Amino acid sequence: MGSFMGHILPGSFFLIAGLWWAGKYSLWYATRRNKSAGAGRLATRAMQRRMEILEGAVVLTFSLIGILAEQFVANGPHFQLYNQTAQQWEQLMIWQHSTMYLFFAMSGATTLTVHLTDTAPLALDRLILSIAFFSEGFLFYYHLHGREMLDVHVHTLLLYAIFAGALTALLEMFHRGNVLLELLRTTTCILQGSWFWQIGFVLYPPSGVKWDLTDHSNMMFITVCYCWHLACALITISVLYCTVCCVIRSKLRRMPPMEMGLLKPREREVESEDEVL
Amino acid sequence: MGSFMGHILPGSFFLIAGLWWAGKYSLWYATRRNKSAGAGRLATRAMQRRMEILEGAVVLTFSLIGILAEQFVANGPHFQLYNQTAQQWEQLMIWQHSTMYLFFAMSGATTLTVHLTDTAPLALDRLILSIAFFSEGFLFYYHLHGREMLDVHVHTLLLYAIFAGALTALLEMFHRGNVLLELLRTTTCILQGSWFWQIGFVLYPPSGVKWDLTDHSNMMFITVCYCWHLACALITISVLYCTVCCVIRSKLRRMPPMEMGLLKPREREVESEDEVL
Amino acid sequence: MGSFMGHILPGSFFLIAGLWWAGKYSLWYATRRNKSAGAGRLATRAMQRRMEILEGAVVLTFSLIGILAEQFVANGPHFQLYNQTAQQWEQLMIWQHSTMYLFFAMSGATTLTVHLTDTAPLALDRLILSIAFFSEGFLFYYHLHGREMLDVHVHTLLLYAIFAGALTALLEMFHRGNVLLELLRTTTCILQGSWFWQIGFVLYPPSGVKWDLTDHSNMMFITVCYCWHLACALITISVLYCTVCCVIRSKLRRMPPMEMGLLKPREREVESEDEVL
Amino acid sequence: MGSFMGHILPGSFFLIAGLWWAGKYSLWYATRRNKSAGAGRLATRAMQRRMEILEGAVVLTFSLIGILAEQFVANGPHFQLYNQTAQQWEQLMIWQHSTMYLFFAMSGATTLTVHLTDTAPLALDRLILSIAFFSEGFLFYYHLHGREMLDVHVHTLLLYAIFAGALTALLEMFHRGNVLLELLRTTTCILQGSWFWQIGFVLYPPSGVKWDLTDHSNMMFITVCYCWHLACALITISVLYCTVCCVIRSKLRRMPPMEMGLLKPREREVESEDEVL
């Protein structure tokens, strides 16, 4: 299906997800750090829960839209798997993409369940997110058969970002609430997003000037370029983190001091949800 | 020895084991969660121990039956390893299967020892289970030499499920009683079971219509299909988990409230066996 | 240098080391478990320390003897590395073996340092042991170039045992005193020892009947055989463990009960050395 | 760009960094161990922080100098990436080196931020250091295409040291202040440094006598030689550690005993920074 838009679209989604995560985790960490100064009022546990539910709902919705869009585009398979007349599988690429969306939909649904009800263990959302990333990487891995050198190389580099994200999410199962792991996962997500854009520009250049897919020096450049994307992702996140910190501090300075006695005992308990597991 | 039934049988065993585990761990987790509501009476520690002993006994019995059945079928090796007259090894495939059963028999025996006596450390059952899965994967890995592309591919996918199960069991050695790891192992077990069925239907189709084992699009379909099996395993477990939760809640609602004073001090101690290690 | 004795000798050393470890760790674990019954008197901390020092001294001595023996055998290199006249390296195989011994000598010296003085952190002995195993595996790995199929295969299987031992020792750095990890390392050590014997019998059969090193069914048999070695190692250790448990219990039954007050406070402190780290 | 000096220079940097780390961590560990004897006065928390800031500043400065030097040497690219006239990438090798320096510069900047301000979580410096090592290894890995056997082999061995360092730094994120991990990372750093020297002497021998890059016995020697470098790194560190311990003890003996009451409460709190995380 390879097309320019087919790489720009998922890339944009991952970029937006990464930026959202960077903001979210920065806010929570800065709030936790300045709790003694009353920052708890800026991002209460109830607000955190609402953000998680919103995130789950958005992920679930967009994944379902993605599945339907892939299946019902002009030449899509319309949920037909096997073409009896042509004796062949119907549009396996699109089925692959639908499957990827399916796992992200499951991840979104899990986030909703975990934060709307009390039945499931908290860390389940990270486990399912990890499985979603693993499945994405797994499907991409068996996607590369018989392509040209540079094409395989750019997708292999994409796999590093995907599997790094999956492993980080898995580690978070055991170290939930560790801000470094959260930001590391965010980094891999932003890297994945920007690399999707890069792939789009390399394989389907909108300028029309084709890259030589068999040239070794192109491959070397792409490798260096990947490191620059990683560096940019790290810098983006640190800029976002600093901004959030500054905003919170300036807000705290303008806030009247709060008496600790006003904190309801129930709220204090709930705030430590992360450590309950 | 490849045959349709030779894949359906082990698949069914793993499926049953997976469903049993899903039910068992869901029940225990739901009980632990609702302990304050008196759920401890629904699944006491004594009952848990009885379930473990039953499981160990069943695994041990079936593994021994498996070994004997493999050795004494019509053309089995009858425990003869080397055929002196033909100057060759006798039925190495069957010896491989017997060896797999042997490790699962050891795993069953360990479960019995751990829960019937006090001598062995608790986490030993997970270590031996992990070794049993590793051995199974190891033997399968060196099983694939010289087969056709799709045949190798379906068995490679099986290996992922097996090794994922082995690694999860190994992690459980350090995080015993973590419900997510237990359910993750359950998922890999159900996936393994259902994938054995899939292999049976792909390599020895009962309908008689052979698959083209060298067609690349078949291979792509199988990869996507594997992800669906994984998704189905996850959904099966979550449905089972929800059912167990509902049943326990409805039972708790019909139960008269219990006074905490009635809990004997000894029982409380024993219930935390998982954290003793 | 490949010879029958060249595999039997190291194999015997690893077997003896494995059996010693199995006994040592079983004794310590059984003592810890029955501490309330006064078992602390059977294996006091001072005795544990003496056992460790003895082990370190033996490992160090034998490694140094090994280096000297390798260097000064009839056609050894006598510590000469480069043969100027022949313009070639002098006996690189022997230098490889000397290097392996060197790392085990360092491991022995570390054990001595850790338990004789107070300067080094306790877990250092496991780290250096792990490095010794890794180096052994590393040198074996680059040892296999250009050999025949079965020869490569038996050494590859050896590598699994070596690296499993190295990884377990590394894990022990973080989970020191975990009896399951200690016994797992013991298992890999016994497996390594018995597999060295197996290699000796396969590559240099004393009966004189050569194995066909290119026959695939031989390779399949060797794979199954490796699993049997693993199973035997596990069974050996469990038998040893049970024997030690029985002996300790019978001794405890014949001992007069001890008053807890007699335990000197200093001793109690020292006994928990493992948890100090 | 391969040249003798091009390997000696980075090697020397890594060697110096390794020796500095070995001294630093030995000093801190010995201080912590002898805290009850008043050693806290020898390396106060304020001094530790100053050492970290110094380290960060030096790393940052040298990395920036490295980037500028690489870009503006006689035939450097002067920050021009693509040569429009020749229709090819401009000096990709130098861009690769600049990228490596860039990540180490980021690591230095992180160390400065973490220890100069309070905004960032402590373990962030290890995470970024780990990413810097990973990027270095990653760029080297895709650097080896189409070279000769021995050339590839010596760089592969270098990769082991780099990735071992990266993994150790990653582990330190979770076990901060574990002296064994710190010294293990130091070992890999010294090994990397001395191995860079070795590579320089093998590939660009100053004596002028070229090595045969396709001779298998040369490859075997290099493998053994790598283990010797590792052993030397370990011995160097232990000698340094012992020296530091002796110096501290002799200083403590000459110091008048200190009354604990003199320790200001604030200082005691700050000293446990490592466990705050």
Side-chain angles (χ1 to χ4, degrees):
Chain A
M1 61 93 230
S3 72
F4 182 65
M5 280 316 288
H7 285 92
I8 294 300
L9 257 178
S12 306
F13 281 121
F14 281 113
L15 270 179
I16 293 169
L19 295 175
W20 160 261
W21 281 350
K24 188 177 81 170
Y25 294 125
S26 299
L27 177 65
W28 292 359
Y29 182 70
T31 315
R32 250 183 293 157
R33 275 235 142 168
N34 298 300
K35 204 180 265 176
S36 59
R41 277 176 294 171
L42 293 175
T44 57
R45 183 62 217 161
M47 197 187 104
Q48 286 190 20
R49 188 172 273 229
R50 270 198 301 276
M51 281 168 82
E52 294 279 27
I53 290 169
L54 176 71
E55 186 186 315
V58 169
V59 169
L60 180 58
T61 315
F62 275 80
S63 304
L64 292 180
I65 291 176
I67 293 177
L68 293 177
E70 289 269 358
Q71 292 284 344
F72 292 106
V73 286
N75 55 353
H78 298 74
F79 285 115
Q80 194 194 348
L81 183 56
Y82 194 74
N83 190 332
Q84 290 292 351
T85 49
Q87 291 283 324
Q88 66 182 17
W89 302 104
E90 192 68 75
Q91 308 260 23
L92 276 176
M93 279 283 187
I94 286 181
W95 278 103
Q96 274 192 350
H97 298 152
S98 299
T99 308
M100 291 181 193
Y101 287 126
L102 173 68
F103 278 95
F104 282 105
M106 283 168 69
S107 165
T110 309
T111 307
L112 279 179
T113 314
V114 165
H115 292 281
L116 277 177
T117 74
D118 265 353
T119 45
L122 252 192
L124 184 65
D125 57 348
R126 301 297 150 85
L127 176 58
I128 303 292
L129 181 64
S130 174
I131 289 178
F133 275 131
F134 267 119
S135 310
E136 190 200 346
F138 174 79
L139 286 171
F140 264 117
Y141 178 73
Y142 285 107
H143 197 88
L144 303 179
H145 185 86
R147 302 202 179 183
E148 272 183 281
M149 193 179 72
L150 191 65
D151 195 344
V152 169
H153 188 56
V154 289
H155 281 97
T156 307
L157 295 177
L158 183 67
L159 284 181
Y160 291 146
I162 296 173
F163 283 121
L167 276 175
T168 314
L170 205 62
L171 269 176
E172 277 185 81
M173 238 180 77
F174 303 101
H175 299 268
R176 204 167 201 269
N178 182 328
V179 72
L180 289 177
L181 283 179
E182 288 168 344
L183 291 183
L184 186 57
R185 172 159 54 88
T186 306
T187 312
T188 63
C189 188
I190 291 183
L191 175 60
Q192 205 190 130
S194 69
W195 195 248
F196 260 117
W197 276 66
Q198 182 76 46
I199 293 179
F201 279 96
V202 169
L203 298 188
Y204 315 97
S207 67
V209 186
K210 292 254 177 253
W211 286 52
D212 181 353
L213 295 184
T214 55
D215 182 16
H216 185 65
S217 78
N218 275 342
M219 207 168 125
M220 266 181 71
F221 167 72
I222 282 295
T223 312
V224 178
C225 187
Y226 185 74
C227 288
W228 297 343
H229 279 258
L230 174 58
C232 288
L234 286 170
I235 290 167
T236 310
I237 288 173
S238 51
V239 167
L240 254 169
Y241 177 77
C242 291
T243 317
V244 168
C245 281
C246 290
V247 169
I248 281 193
R249 277 185 194 174
S250 72
K251 279 211 170 171
L252 282 179
R253 236 174 285 130
R254 274 175 294 151
M255 254 180 16
M258 186 186 57
E259 288 177 54
M260 287 309 283
L262 295 178
L263 218 66
K264 281 156 294 177
R266 245 232 83 197
E267 202 168 25
R268 234 188 260 153
E269 220 172 75
V270 181
E271 266 177 319
S272 58
E273 189 187 48
D274 266 357
E275 287 103 53
V276 170
L277 258 190
Chain B
M1 59 95 230
S3 71
F4 182 65
M5 281 315 290
H7 285 92
I8 295 300
L9 258 177
S12 306
F13 281 122
F14 281 112
L15 269 179
I16 293 169
L19 294 175
W20 160 261
W21 280 349
K24 189 177 80 171
Y25 294 125
S26 298
L27 178 64
W28 293 0
Y29 181 71
T31 313
R32 249 184 293 158
R33 276 236 141 167
N34 297 299
K35 205 181 265 175
S36 60
R41 277 177 293 171
L42 294 175
T44 59
R45 183 63 216 159
M47 197 187 103
Q48 287 190 18
R49 188 173 272 228
R50 270 200 299 277
M51 280 167 83
E52 293 278 28
I53 290 170
L54 176 71
E55 186 186 314
V58 169
V59 169
L60 181 58
T61 314
F62 274 81
S63 304
L64 292 180
I65 291 176
I67 294 177
L68 293 177
E70 289 269 359
Q71 291 285 343
F72 292 107
V73 288
N75 54 353
H78 297 75
F79 285 115
Q80 196 195 343
L81 183 57
Y82 196 73
N83 190 332
Q84 289 292 351
T85 49
Q87 293 281 324
Q88 66 182 17
W89 301 104
E90 192 68 76
Q91 309 260 22
L92 276 176
M93 278 284 186
I94 286 180
W95 278 103
Q96 276 192 349
H97 298 151
S98 299
T99 307
M100 292 181 193
Y101 287 126
L102 174 68
F103 277 95
F104 282 105
M106 284 169 69
S107 165
T110 309
T111 307
L112 279 179
T113 314
V114 164
H115 293 281
L116 278 177
T117 75
D118 265 354
T119 44
L122 251 193
L124 185 64
D125 57 348
R126 301 295 151 85
L127 176 58
I128 303 292
L129 182 64
S130 174
I131 290 179
F133 275 130
F134 267 119
S135 309
E136 192 200 345
F138 174 78
L139 286 171
F140 265 116
Y141 179 72
Y142 284 108
H143 198 89
L144 303 180
H145 184 86
R147 302 201 180 184
E148 272 183 281
M149 191 179 74
L150 191 65
D151 196 343
V152 168
H153 187 55
V154 289
H155 281 96
T156 307
L157 296 177
L158 184 66
L159 284 180
Y160 290 144
I162 295 174
F163 283 123
L167 276 175
T168 315
L170 205 63
L171 269 177
E172 277 185 82
M173 238 180 78
F174 303 101
H175 299 269
R176 203 168 201 270
N178 182 328
V179 71
L180 288 177
L181 283 180
E182 288 167 343
L183 292 184
L184 186 57
R185 172 160 53 88
T186 305
T187 311
T188 63
C189 188
I190 292 183
L191 174 61
Q192 205 190 127
S194 69
W195 195 249
F196 260 118
W197 276 67
Q198 181 78 46
I199 293 179
F201 279 96
V202 168
L203 298 188
Y204 315 97
S207 67
V209 186
K210 294 251 177 252
W211 286 51
D212 181 354
L213 295 184
T214 55
D215 182 16
H216 185 64
S217 77
N218 276 341
M219 207 169 126
M220 266 180 71
F221 167 70
I222 282 295
T223 312
V224 178
C225 187
Y226 185 73
C227 289
W228 297 343
H229 279 258
L230 174 58
C232 288
L234 287 170
I235 290 167
T236 309
I237 288 173
S238 52
V239 167
L240 254 169
Y241 177 77
C242 291
T243 316
V244 168
C245 281
C246 289
V247 168
I248 281 193
R249 277 185 195 177
S250 73
K251 278 210 172 174
L252 283 179
R253 235 173 286 128
R254 274 175 294 150
M255 255 180 13
M258 187 186 57
E259 286 176 55
M260 285 310 283
L262 296 178
L263 220 67
K264 281 155 295 177
R266 247 232 80 197
E267 201 167 27
R268 236 186 257 151
E269 221 173 73
V270 181
E271 269 179 318
S272 58
E273 191 187 47
D274 267 357
E275 286 103 55
V276 172
L277 257 190
Chain C
M1 57 95 229
S3 72
F4 182 66
M5 281 316 288
H7 286 92
I8 295 299
L9 259 177
S12 306
F13 281 121
F14 281 113
L15 269 179
I16 293 169
L19 293 175
W20 159 262
W21 280 349
K24 190 176 81 170
Y25 294 124
S26 298
L27 178 65
W28 293 359
Y29 182 69
T31 315
R32 246 184 294 157
R33 275 235 142 168
N34 298 298
K35 204 181 264 175
S36 58
R41 278 177 293 172
L42 293 175
T44 59
R45 184 62 217 160
M47 196 186 104
Q48 287 190 19
R49 187 172 274 229
R50 270 199 300 275
M51 281 168 82
E52 294 277 29
I53 290 169
L54 177 70
E55 187 186 313
V58 168
V59 168
L60 180 58
T61 315
F62 274 81
S63 304
L64 292 180
I65 290 177
I67 294 177
L68 294 178
E70 290 268 359
Q71 292 284 344
F72 292 106
V73 286
N75 54 354
H78 297 76
F79 284 115
Q80 195 195 345
L81 183 56
Y82 195 74
N83 190 332
Q84 291 291 353
T85 49
Q87 293 282 323
Q88 65 181 20
W89 302 102
E90 193 67 77
Q91 308 261 23
L92 275 176
M93 278 282 188
I94 285 180
W95 278 103
Q96 275 191 351
H97 297 151
S98 300
T99 307
M100 290 182 195
Y101 287 126
L102 174 68
F103 277 95
F104 281 104
M106 284 169 69
S107 164
T110 309
T111 307
L112 280 179
T113 315
V114 164
H115 292 282
L116 278 177
T117 75
D118 265 354
T119 45
L122 251 193
L124 185 65
D125 57 348
R126 300 298 150 84
L127 176 58
I128 302 294
L129 182 65
S130 174
I131 290 178
F133 275 130
F134 267 119
S135 310
E136 192 201 345
F138 174 78
L139 286 172
F140 265 117
Y141 178 73
Y142 284 108
H143 198 88
L144 302 179
H145 185 86
R147 302 202 179 183
E148 271 181 281
M149 191 180 74
L150 192 64
D151 197 343
V152 168
H153 188 55
V154 289
H155 281 96
T156 308
L157 295 177
L158 185 66
L159 284 180
Y160 291 144
I162 296 173
F163 283 123
L167 277 175
T168 315
L170 205 63
L171 269 177
E172 278 185 81
M173 240 180 77
F174 303 101
H175 299 269
R176 205 171 200 267
N178 182 328
V179 72
L180 288 177
L181 283 179
E182 288 168 344
L183 291 183
L184 186 58
R185 172 161 53 87
T186 305
T187 310
T188 63
C189 188
I190 291 183
L191 174 61
Q192 203 189 131
S194 69
W195 194 249
F196 259 118
W197 275 68
Q198 182 77 45
I199 293 179
F201 278 97
V202 168
L203 298 187
Y204 315 97
S207 68
V209 186
K210 292 251 179 257
W211 286 50
D212 182 351
L213 295 184
T214 54
D215 182 16
H216 185 64
S217 76
N218 276 341
M219 208 169 127
M220 265 180 72
F221 167 71
I222 283 294
T223 312
V224 178
C225 187
Y226 185 73
C227 288
W228 297 344
H229 278 257
L230 174 58
C232 287
L234 287 170
I235 290 167
T236 309
I237 288 173
S238 52
V239 167
L240 255 168
Y241 177 76
C242 290
T243 316
V244 168
C245 281
C246 288
V247 170
I248 281 193
R249 278 187 194 175
S250 72
K251 279 210 173 173
L252 282 180
R253 237 174 283 129
R254 273 175 294 150
M255 255 179 16
M258 186 185 58
E259 286 176 55
M260 285 310 283
L262 295 178
L263 219 68
K264 283 157 294 178
R266 245 235 81 199
E267 201 168 25
R268 235 186 260 153
E269 221 172 72
V270 180
E271 267 178 320
S272 59
E273 191 187 46
D274 267 358
E275 285 103 55
V276 170
L277 258 191
Chain D
M1 60 97 228
S3 72
F4 181 66
M5 281 316 289
H7 286 91
I8 294 300
L9 259 177
S12 306
F13 281 122
F14 281 113
L15 269 179
I16 293 169
L19 293 175
W20 160 261
W21 281 349
K24 189 176 80 169
Y25 294 125
S26 299
L27 178 64
W28 293 0
Y29 182 69
T31 314
R32 248 184 294 157
R33 275 235 143 169
N34 298 298
K35 202 179 268 175
S36 59
R41 278 177 292 171
L42 293 175
T44 58
R45 184 61 220 162
M47 196 186 104
Q48 287 190 20
R49 187 173 275 228
R50 270 199 300 276
M51 281 168 82
E52 294 278 28
I53 290 168
L54 177 71
E55 188 187 313
V58 170
V59 169
L60 180 57
T61 316
F62 275 81
S63 304
L64 292 180
I65 292 176
I67 293 177
L68 294 177
E70 289 269 358
Q71 292 284 344
F72 292 106
V73 287
N75 55 354
H78 298 74
F79 284 114
Q80 194 194 348
L81 182 58
Y82 195 74
N83 190 332
Q84 291 291 350
T85 50
Q87 292 282 323
Q88 65 181 19
W89 301 103
E90 192 67 77
Q91 309 261 22
L92 276 176
M93 279 284 187
I94 285 180
W95 278 103
Q96 274 191 352
H97 298 152
S98 301
T99 308
M100 291 181 195
Y101 287 126
L102 174 68
F103 277 94
F104 282 104
M106 283 169 69
S107 164
T110 309
T111 307
L112 280 178
T113 315
V114 166
H115 292 281
L116 278 177
T117 75
D118 266 352
T119 45
L122 252 193
L124 184 65
D125 57 347
R126 300 298 150 85
L127 176 58
I128 303 293
L129 182 65
S130 173
I131 289 178
F133 276 130
F134 267 119
S135 310
E136 190 201 347
F138 174 78
L139 286 171
F140 266 116
Y141 178 74
Y142 285 108
H143 198 88
L144 302 179
H145 186 86
R147 301 202 180 184
E148 271 182 282
M149 192 179 73
L150 192 64
D151 196 342
V152 168
H153 188 55
V154 289
H155 281 97
T156 308
L157 295 177
L158 184 67
L159 284 180
Y160 290 145
I162 296 172
F163 284 122
L167 276 175
T168 315
L170 204 63
L171 269 176
E172 278 185 80
M173 239 180 77
F174 303 101
H175 299 269
R176 205 166 200 269
N178 183 328
V179 72
L180 288 177
L181 283 180
E182 288 167 344
L183 292 183
L184 185 58
R185 172 160 54 88
T186 306
T187 311
T188 64
C189 188
I190 292 183
L191 174 60
Q192 203 190 133
S194 69
W195 195 248
F196 259 118
W197 276 67
Q198 182 75 45
I199 292 179
F201 279 96
V202 167
L203 298 187
Y204 315 97
S207 68
V209 186
K210 292 253 179 255
W211 286 51
D212 181 352
L213 295 185
T214 55
D215 182 15
H216 186 65
S217 78
N218 276 342
M219 207 169 126
M220 265 180 72
F221 167 71
I222 282 295
T223 312
V224 179
C225 187
Y226 185 75
C227 287
W228 297 343
H229 279 257
L230 174 58
C232 287
L234 287 170
I235 290 167
T236 309
I237 288 173
S238 51
V239 167
L240 255 168
Y241 178 78
C242 291
T243 316
V244 168
C245 280
C246 288
V247 169
I248 281 193
R249 277 186 196 175
S250 73
K251 279 209 171 172
L252 282 180
R253 238 174 282 127
R254 275 176 292 151
M255 253 179 16
M258 185 187 59
E259 287 176 55
M260 287 309 283
L262 295 178
L263 217 68
K264 281 156 295 178
R266 245 232 82 198
E267 202 167 25
R268 232 185 262 152
E269 221 172 72
V270 180
E271 267 177 319
S272 58
E273 189 187 48
D274 267 357
E275 287 103 53
V276 170
L277 257 192

